[in-house]
Each structure stands twice: as structure tokens, then as C-alpha cells.
Amino acid sequence: MQTEHIEDRSQGERASSSKEGREVKMAAIKLYGMMLSPNVTRVVTVLNELGLDFDSVDVDLRTGAHKHPDFLKLNPFGQIPALQDGDEVVFESRAINRYIATKYGSSGPNLLPTPSAKMEAWLEVESPHFFPLAQTVVYELLIKPLFGATPDTAEADKKAAELDKLLDVYEAHLAAGNKYLAGDVFTLADGNHMSWLFLLTKSPKAELVASRPHVKAWWEEISARPAWAKTVASIPLPPAV
């Protein structure tokens, strides 16, 4: 994986040799964002699960690069991440992940087994239920202190209490014979949880995961995957995390 800056990006074509010895131009997968962003990490998780090579294009939010005209051509909402795959451009991390898992599913584990009612249900649980709560807890108690800002502990505690109740539902589901969220196999439902779940386990509210034996076992199982080790190694985490 190589890193470049959005202002300097090229068309990202790669050359590979065909069986006949001819050189064929291949369009690189490019992921635009900052590796410190858990929403970007959500996409990297799936790219690594499928063993896909990609170029990481830095879009520094601190300099306003996400509002640069070049980036707005990729995501008119000015948010990271965005993915360019040849002529295809996709934004919104969950949409990107479904696109990747659909197009490149044969490159690695089948992340979208069909039909899978459990997978579809837990994909939907992650987005409106788990993510907003985990995001607030992590932002207030982990991210803000790293940058010297004062956390809103009351807001964090409120969201942690809601997350506590939500994770009871996860615990009951996993205790009912489900090794993963969709049953016996790792799917996109698990992958989409991992970036924010990882930071939650690094926060002062890590006990929300550690105190639930089945949630803890699930996290230990999915975070032991080789692709996740590769993903974590690419995140420039501060020493305190």
C-alpha cells in the first residue's frame, strides 16, 4: 500500500503482464482518507480481508483537504472515505464495503453469504444503533484527551449507559450459538463493527466489551484474524492508545 496526497494524485494505472507477454494497464484501487479515521479503517478492514492491493491517498481534514474541489468530485458531501476503482467512484464507508465485497468476493472469504437474514439484520444494527453510541464514547473519552481537549464526561456516560444495554442484546445473540453475528462464519456484519469496536476496547469504557463473555470472545476471535493485524499495523495510533 502506498500513500500519496490528493493534490498530487495521478490516474493510478498499473502495468501487469498478460499470459501473451503483452503489458496490460490495470486501474489501481484508491482509498481517499486519513488512516486515523475509524470510518476509513472500516474500509481498510474489508480490503485487507479480501487481500486487495490499494493505494492510500491522504485527505487531511486538518487542512480542509476534504473540501478541496478535487475531492468534492469524488464525494460531493466532503467526507471521508471515498474509493476510486477504475471508472467507479463510491463514497460512504458501508456502501464502499458492500461494493468491494460484492465485486471482489472471490478474492477472499465470502463476506456476503446469501441469503443471510442474520447478516442483513446485524449490518443494520451497526449503523443506526452501535456506531452512534460507540462513536460518542470513543470521541469524548479517547480522542479528545489525545488532542488536549476537555471531554464531556456526562455525555460519554449517557451514551455508555445506552451502549451497555445494547451490548446486552449482542451478548444474548452470541450466547445463542452464534460464533459471529451472522452465525458460524465471519461476514461484512462483523467487519463493519471492527474499527469502532477496537477503539472502544482502548477507551476507559473497555469493560463494556470485557465484562460480557460472549461479546469478549467474539471480539477476540475477529481481532485475531491476520487481515485485522495488517489493518491495525497501518493505523498511526498515538503511543497512549
Side-chain angles (χ1 to χ4, degrees):
M1 182 180 70
Q2 298 177 336
T3 302
E4 55 185 282
H5 293 277
I6 185 168
E7 292 85 354
D8 303 319
R9 74 178 191 275
S10 67
Q11 293 302 312
E13 291 187 333
R14 293 178 182 169
S16 65
S17 296
S18 69
K19 291 182 179 179
E20 295 79 18
R22 292 180 292 108
E23 206 170 8
V24 180
K25 293 293 184 179
M26 300 293 289
I29 296 175
K30 290 192 170 190
L31 178 63
Y32 295 80
M34 294 178 70
M35 283 304 301
L36 269 175
S37 163
N39 293 334
V40 174
T41 305
R42 179 185 287 120
V43 175
V44 175
T45 300
V46 173
L47 287 166
N48 286 337
E49 275 291 338
L50 295 176
L52 298 174
D53 190 21
F54 66 97
D55 291 330
S56 179
V57 184
D58 185 59
V59 181
D60 194 335
L61 303 184
R62 296 165 297 184
T63 64
H66 56 307
K67 303 301 182 183
H68 190 280
D70 281 352
F71 183 72
L72 292 175
K73 293 177 183 178
L74 302 171
N75 185 346
F77 297 102
Q79 297 176 330
I80 57 174
L83 181 131
Q84 187 173 24
D85 181 18
D87 293 332
E88 294 285 354
V89 175
V90 192
F91 50 87
E92 297 293 338
S93 62
R94 294 170 187 85
I96 293 171
N97 278 358
R98 186 173 278 275
Y99 167 82
I100 295 167
T102 300
K103 181 174 179 178
Y104 296 102
S106 61
S107 298
N110 182 11
L111 301 180
L112 291 172
T114 54
S116 177
K118 286 181 181 178
M119 180 195 69
E120 297 295 349
W122 287 93
L123 280 171
E124 292 301 317
V125 170
E126 185 275 329
S127 177
H129 299 290
F130 173 80
F131 163 68
L133 299 177
Q135 180 189 41
T136 300
V137 172
V138 167
Y139 178 69
E140 294 295 341
L141 300 183
L142 186 64
I143 305 301
K144 275 189 174 181
L146 286 176
F147 289 93
T150 302
D152 185 339
T153 55
E155 180 66 11
D157 287 345
K158 176 184 175 183
K159 297 302 183 184
E162 294 178 40
L163 187 56
D164 188 56
K165 295 178 181 178
L166 177 65
L167 288 176
D168 281 344
V169 179
Y170 281 67
E171 179 70 11
H173 174 70
L174 293 164
N178 296 292
K179 183 177 181 181
Y180 302 100
L181 292 178
D184 295 331
V185 294
F186 179 91
T187 70
L188 191 60
D190 304 291
N192 276 3
H193 277 78
M194 293 179 71
S195 59
W196 285 100
L197 192 58
F198 168 67
L199 291 179
L200 183 63
T201 66
K202 298 294 183 181
S203 78
K205 297 295 184 179
E207 191 66 15
L208 288 167
V209 174
S211 65
R212 292 171 168 84
H214 292 89
V215 171
K216 180 183 177 183
W218 168 58
W219 170 241
E220 290 175 347
E221 179 72 23
I222 62 178
S223 63
R225 297 176 70 83
W228 178 249
K230 183 177 180 180
T231 299
V232 171
S234 69
I235 305 173
L237 291 171
V241 176

